[in-house]
Amino acid sequence: MNRRPTVLAALTLTAAAALTLSACGGGGDSDEDKANDKIAGADTGTEKSASPSASETAAAGRPKIELPSDFKHSFTPDGSGDTVKNAILKDNAELVRALDAAIIAQDPRLPALEFYTEGEGAVAAQKWVKAFTDAGWTVTGSVRYFDRQVTVSSKNAASLSYCADESKAFSKVIKTGEIKKTEVTKKSYVAYGAQVEKNDEGVWELMKISSTRGADRCQP
């Protein structure tokens, strides 16, 4: 798929490449309409964010992440009845938003991104954002994250699995404003696996991540 700059295509499917998140583009309007017919809740006009409110963010000492109006996320489920899993899901959503905020800001060391990453996860995130900045590309559109599941292994460690529908997310050339749209295919859907750990401040940071583009479990 020609959904990202040529320089990005050279990256292998390591932790950095697994952080594609919103670089994948969908097709034209007709393709998107067809995709929406198959995907419940794909209408971005009804999206809900899993991120905490501004007051909750401030109270927890978490950075306030702002994204432009032309880029949106939705997360399903956006929470859990379990207190620990709920916290993990919320911090995972903020990580996703921080990564895209860093791409849009063209800043691999965006404080919000560093806040939610550590170790290999931080290195991978920075490399991925730098690839966008070096290519002069950003992101626009919307990404739907669904089937988000948490497995808690200890009081300070957990893993997540979730899917991403990138059929309505597009890469955009910053200098010209050109939006790269491609056909919606099986590879527009990605399965993610992440390992997180809780730091001393109670933040669930990304330590490692992997992905499978075109995974059967994430298909509409």
Side-chain angles (χ1 to χ4, degrees):
M1 294 190 304
N2 186 21
R3 289 193 166 92
R4 53 185 69 82
T6 303
V7 65
L8 301 186
L11 292 175
T12 57
L13 190 59
T14 59
L19 289 167
T20 305
L21 296 180
S22 56
C24 191
D29 291 340
S30 61
D31 287 331
E32 290 176 12
D33 291 340
K34 291 177 182 178
N36 286 346
D37 289 339
K38 301 177 182 177
I39 305 170
D43 182 356
T44 58
T46 60
E47 288 177 348
K48 294 199 306 179
S49 172
S51 59
S53 66
S55 59
E56 289 174 329
T57 299
R62 286 162 169 72
K64 182 179 180 180
I65 301 171
E66 296 183 350
L67 295 170
S69 60
D70 69 336
F71 194 80
K72 301 180 184 298
H73 302 99
S74 67
F75 301 90
T76 306
D78 62 358
S80 167
D82 181 88
T83 302
V84 175
K85 291 183 178 180
N86 189 56
I88 294 169
L89 287 172
K90 285 184 177 294
D91 280 349
N92 172 255
E94 289 301 283
L95 161 70
V96 169
R97 298 178 73 250
L99 180 67
D100 285 319
I103 291 173
I104 292 167
Q106 299 282 281
D107 183 2
R109 300 299 299 271
L110 189 74
L113 183 59
E114 294 186 334
F115 187 88
Y116 288 103
T117 59
E118 185 61 52
E120 292 181 27
V123 173
Q126 291 169 14
K127 286 183 177 180
W128 189 243
V129 175
K130 187 175 185 301
F132 274 88
T133 61
D134 289 348
W137 288 51
T138 185
V139 290
T140 188
S142 63
V143 183
R144 184 176 67 97
Y145 294 91
F146 61 100
D147 194 19
R148 303 170 72 220
Q149 301 179 30
V150 178
T151 300
V152 179
S153 54
S154 72
K155 67 178 183 179
N156 293 320
S159 60
L160 297 93
S161 64
Y162 52 96
C163 294
D165 170 6
E166 299 180 348
S167 63
K168 298 177 72 174
F170 313 105
S171 296
K172 181 170 72 173
V173 182
I174 294 175
K175 183 177 290 187
T176 65
E178 177 188 4
I179 297 176
K180 301 291 186 179
K181 292 189 176 183
T182 55
E183 180 183 0
V184 177
T185 70
K186 182 177 181 179
K187 292 187 177 181
S188 299
Y189 302 89
V190 189
Y192 286 96
Q195 294 180 27
V196 296
E197 293 183 5
K198 186 170 69 173
N199 64 18
D200 293 339
E201 286 71 44
V203 178
W204 289 91
E205 300 174 308
L206 175 72
M207 305 302 292
K208 294 182 180 180
I209 191 166
S210 61
S211 72
T212 303
R213 185 168 291 280
D216 290 339
R217 65 174 285 247
C218 296
Q219 298 304 307

